[in-house]
């Protein structure tokens, strides 16, 4: 955070000094008590009751509030600024801080690939720049203030994930970050418990267009069917398209699998560049295209991007290939599970498992609300379309996939278990050196994580 004195902040929020000093340097910000981890923190406080002894280890701090507090006991270490309109004061502070920032800020959204694309952009730019960024997958709506304040005088650019759990989430993130480059990696089916319909989910992703207006840059996947339904004609900023099949601003051709990643030829205007991106799957090429487009827009030459991209480190438990028991091969993809990422993982299983017996172990797709049955049936269709020799599902709702695959009848070995115990027992009996197993679940699924652990070669 750029250091600010409480006196300056008090003027921005139109507040009155109740106690303390105008000369306290502020280096951190929070709007929840549990977010305070350092001294010299500015806390926006709406609560009536505060256990001051719990905050004492982090003194000195400053508080902005519309409540009346009398805590003279800590007068030397506690600055209190009273405001009449709390929400107005809060957003005055946010807008003032953001107005002092004049660097590229990239917002990455999409059903799948957000974290990988964000990490690729960070990796590309960090060779010569200082980058503020989302930590791992911590993209919750409560983290926006922290990420905004992570930008200081040494920051050259920033890249943040902007997840959509409900309508308005992206608009809220943009109110803090005000990105000037936005990316939609793809749009699948997710968070239908709050977005209610596929159309509602698409519209929630489309909020990024308004966030970027009037002069922002929007990077979209032109091959993605749902992204094509967005009304991009009304977007007034600069539109950059990426893809393999479509005629795009950044296009990949001659895509093929290597041992540890994907090779492709990049086409941009009259430039052709050979690329290698670590990580298996055609979906990884799309992630790379988004990252390449963003880095190039910020000013990185394509030749330099090509060299730097080779050293990108893939993320743990994202289509991670490991040695398994009995000489088998395991693809640990227990990071996230949507129909979009399921399809990508199934294609990797087919490509990597050429001439081997292929086993897919799939968990439950979450955050679907009333759409649970329909989306799990769709997942069954995806599994059948791409194909596998053996399907094992784990979980009550995952059984819907198994039932759908059994109904179609092309995959002959289908098992459905409510817990991982019987699945692990079966797998230990059927895998050998001619078997490759995909374990597909999300980071919250203990059952699928345990399957991956038990199948790993000790």
């Amino acid at each position: 955070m750029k250091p600010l004195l409480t006196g300056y902040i008090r003027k921005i929020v139109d507040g009155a000094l109740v106690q303390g000093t105008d000369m306290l340097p502020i280096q951190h910000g929070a709007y929840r008590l549990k977010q305070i981890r350092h001294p010299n923190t500015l806390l926006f406080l709406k609560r009536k009751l505060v256990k001051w002894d719990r905050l004492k280890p982090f003194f000195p701090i400053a508080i902005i509030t519309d409540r009346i507090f009398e805590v003279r006991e800590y007068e030397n270490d506690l600055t209190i600024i009273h405001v009449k309109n709390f929400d107005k004061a809060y957003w005055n502070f946010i807008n003032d801080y953001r107005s002092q920032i004049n660097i590229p800020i990239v917002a990455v959204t999409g059903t799948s690939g957000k974290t990988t694309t964000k990490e690729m952009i960070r990796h590309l730019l960090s060779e010569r720049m200082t980058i503020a960024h989302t930590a791992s997958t911590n993209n919750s709506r409560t983290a926006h203030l922290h990420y905004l304040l992570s930008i200081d005088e040494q920051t050259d650019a920033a890249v943040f994930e902007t997840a959509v759990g409900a309508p308005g989430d992206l608009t809220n993130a943009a109110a803090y970050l005000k990105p000037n480059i936005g990316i939609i990696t793809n749009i699948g089916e997710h968070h239908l418990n709050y977005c209610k319909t596929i159309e509602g989910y698409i519209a929630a992703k489309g909020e990024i267009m308004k966030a970027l207006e009037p002069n922002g840059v929007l990077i979209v996947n032109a091959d993605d069917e749902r992204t094509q339904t967005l009304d991009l004609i009304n977007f007034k900023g600069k539109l950059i398209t990426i893809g393999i099949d479509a005629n795009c601003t950044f296009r990949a051709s001659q895509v093929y699998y290597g041992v540890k990643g994907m090779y492709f030829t990049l086409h941009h205007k009259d430039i052709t560049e050979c690329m290698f991106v670590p990580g298996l799957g055609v979906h990884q090429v799309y992630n790379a295209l988004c990252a390449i487009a963003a880095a190039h827009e910020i000013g990185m030459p394509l030749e330099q991007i090509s060299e730097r991209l080779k050293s990108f480190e893939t993320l743990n438990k994202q289509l991670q290939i490991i040695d398994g028991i009995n000489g088998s091969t395991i693809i640990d993809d227990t990071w996230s599970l949507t129909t979009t990422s399921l399809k990508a993982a199934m294609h990797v299983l087919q490509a990597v498992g050429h001439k081997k017996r292929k086993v897919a172990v799939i968990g439950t797709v979450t955050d679907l609300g009333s759409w649970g049955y329909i989306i799990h049936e769709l997942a069954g269709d995806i599994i059948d379309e791409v194909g596998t020799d053996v399907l094992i599902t784990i979980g009550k709702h995952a059984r819907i996939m198994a039932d759908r695959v059994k109904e179609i009848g092309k995959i002959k070995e289908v098992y459905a278990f409510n817990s991982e115990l019987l699945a692990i027992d079966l797998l230990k009996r059927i895998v050998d050196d001619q078997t490759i197993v995909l374990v597909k679940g999300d980071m919250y699924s203990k059952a699928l994580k345990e399957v991956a652990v038990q199948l790993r070669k000790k």
Side-chain angles (χ1 to χ4, degrees):
M1 177 179 174
K2 298 178 180 181
L4 301 173
L5 294 177
T6 45
Y8 174 84
I9 295 171
R10 184 171 61 80
K11 292 177 182 178
I12 295 301
V13 300
D14 192 22
L17 185 66
V18 175
Q19 73 174 49
T21 175
D22 275 341
M23 299 306 294
L24 178 65
I26 296 298
Q27 298 171 320
H28 310 277
Y31 65 87
R32 291 185 174 185
L33 292 171
K34 65 181 181 181
Q35 293 175 332
I36 299 180
R37 298 183 177 91
H38 308 278
N40 299 88
T41 293
L42 175 67
L43 172 65
F44 288 86
L45 183 64
K46 295 190 80 169
R47 295 180 57 170
K48 292 182 179 180
L49 299 176
V50 180
K51 294 182 178 180
W52 299 105
D53 286 342
R54 291 187 179 180
L55 291 180
K56 192 174 180 180
F58 305 111
F59 283 178
I61 65 171
I63 290 175
I64 293 178
T65 182
D66 58 356
R67 311 288 183 180
I68 302 299
F69 292 107
E70 291 192 14
V71 283
R72 299 295 175 182
E73 181 181 354
Y74 306 113
E75 187 167 359
N76 293 332
D77 293 316
L78 178 61
T79 294
I80 299 178
I81 298 171
H82 187 269
V83 295
K84 294 180 180 178
N85 187 320
F86 182 87
D87 290 337
K88 182 179 179 182
Y90 181 74
W91 286 106
N92 280 353
F93 173 78
I94 297 299
N95 291 330
D96 179 78
Y97 193 88
R98 179 62 182 86
S99 70
Q100 299 177 50
I101 297 169
N102 185 27
I103 61 172
I105 296 183
V106 184
V108 184
T109 193
T111 303
S112 299
K114 291 187 296 298
T115 301
T116 298
T117 300
K118 176 262 299 181
E119 287 297 316
M120 277 189 196
I121 295 169
R122 181 173 76 91
H123 177 73
L124 290 173
L125 297 177
S126 62
E127 184 177 29
R128 299 184 181 181
M129 303 171 76
T130 299
I131 309 299
H133 58 92
T134 305
S136 185
T137 59
N138 185 12
N139 55 30
S140 74
R141 56 180 67 91
T142 63
H144 300 320
L145 175 63
H146 168 75
Y147 287 132
L148 174 64
L149 299 183
S150 72
I151 301 172
D152 59 24
E153 292 93 339
Q154 283 71 50
T155 308
D156 298 306
V159 54
F160 302 116
E161 292 182 39
T162 46
V164 170
D169 276 356
L170 215 155
T171 298
N172 181 53
Y176 287 86
L177 305 174
K178 295 182 175 61
N180 35 50
I181 299 175
I183 297 173
I184 303 176
T185 58
N186 49 61
I187 304 176
E189 304 95 5
H190 205 207
H191 296 298
L192 300 179
N193 48 342
Y194 290 108
C195 293
K196 303 301 182 186
T197 64
I198 300 294
E199 291 75 19
Y201 181 62
I202 294 171
K205 290 294 185 188
E207 290 174 17
I208 197 168
M209 288 188 287
K210 289 186 178 180
L212 293 167
E213 289 181 344
N215 299 314
V217 177
L218 178 62
I219 300 168
V220 297
N221 181 348
D223 291 343
D224 184 65
E225 292 182 7
R226 294 233 167 87
T227 302
Q228 292 171 11
T229 66
L230 292 171
D231 186 7
L232 299 175
I233 296 175
N234 294 323
F235 176 65
K236 304 303 181 184
K238 179 180 178 180
L239 180 64
I240 294 176
T241 55
I242 64 97
I244 297 173
D245 300 323
N247 184 17
C248 305
T249 318
F250 291 83
R251 184 175 67 86
S253 69
Q254 297 176 294
V255 177
Y256 63 94
Y257 280 75
V259 176
K260 294 186 177 180
M262 305 299 293
Y263 292 90
F264 63 97
T265 300
L266 175 73
H267 305 271
H268 174 62
K269 297 181 178 178
D270 57 348
I271 300 172
T272 299
E273 192 75 43
C274 293
M275 295 279 177
F276 172 77
V277 58
L280 297 171
V282 175
H283 68 284
Q284 188 76 334
V285 176
Y286 284 104
N287 293 336
L289 287 170
C290 288
I292 291 165
H296 188 63
E297 180 66 23
I298 291 170
M300 192 171 184
L302 292 178
E303 184 177 356
Q304 183 182 340
I305 290 173
S306 175
E307 189 60 33
R308 179 70 172 166
L309 190 59
K310 296 173 185 176
S311 59
F312 174 71
E313 294 185 4
T314 55
L315 304 180
N316 190 38
K317 298 186 182 299
Q318 291 198 22
L319 292 168
Q320 183 179 17
I321 297 180
I322 56 180
D323 293 331
I325 60 174
N326 304 333
S328 63
T329 300
I330 310 300
I331 305 175
D332 185 347
D333 198 25
T334 53
W335 180 271
S336 68
L337 176 55
T338 64
T339 51
T340 306
S341 66
L342 173 62
K343 188 172 185 177
M346 292 297 296
H347 278 294
V348 171
L349 176 64
Q350 282 291 330
V352 178
H354 182 60
K355 293 184 179 180
K356 286 192 174 185
R357 188 175 189 229
K358 291 170 280 294
V359 180
V361 186
I362 315 296
T364 297
V365 185
T366 58
D367 295 332
L368 297 177
S370 62
W371 284 78
Y373 189 89
I374 294 172
I375 299 303
H376 280 93
E377 273 210 331
L378 175 60
D381 289 337
I382 291 170
I383 294 166
D384 175 78
E385 176 189 344
V386 182
T388 185
D389 297 305
V390 181
L391 171 65
I392 299 172
T393 65
I394 300 176
K396 180 180 177 181
H397 289 94
R399 184 180 291 270
I400 299 168
M401 301 182 214
D403 291 342
R404 179 63 173 168
V405 170
K406 285 179 182 177
E407 179 185 338
I408 298 170
K410 288 196 300 186
I411 299 173
K412 301 305 179 185
E413 287 191 60
V414 181
Y415 305 88
F417 300 108
N418 289 332
S419 74
E420 73 278 13
L421 298 178
L422 292 176
I424 291 169
D425 181 65
L426 172 63
L427 286 161
K428 286 182 176 179
R429 287 188 280 110
I430 67 174
V431 302
D432 56 26
D433 61 356
Q434 294 303 306
T435 307
I436 183 166
V437 183
L438 167 68
V439 185
K440 180 68 175 164
D442 66 29
M443 64 183 74
Y444 305 108
S445 174
K446 293 180 181 179
L448 273 295
K449 286 182 178 180
E450 183 61 20
V451 171
V453 169
Q454 292 297 322
L455 293 183
R456 184 187 290 265
K457 182 181 178 181
K458 301 299 190 286

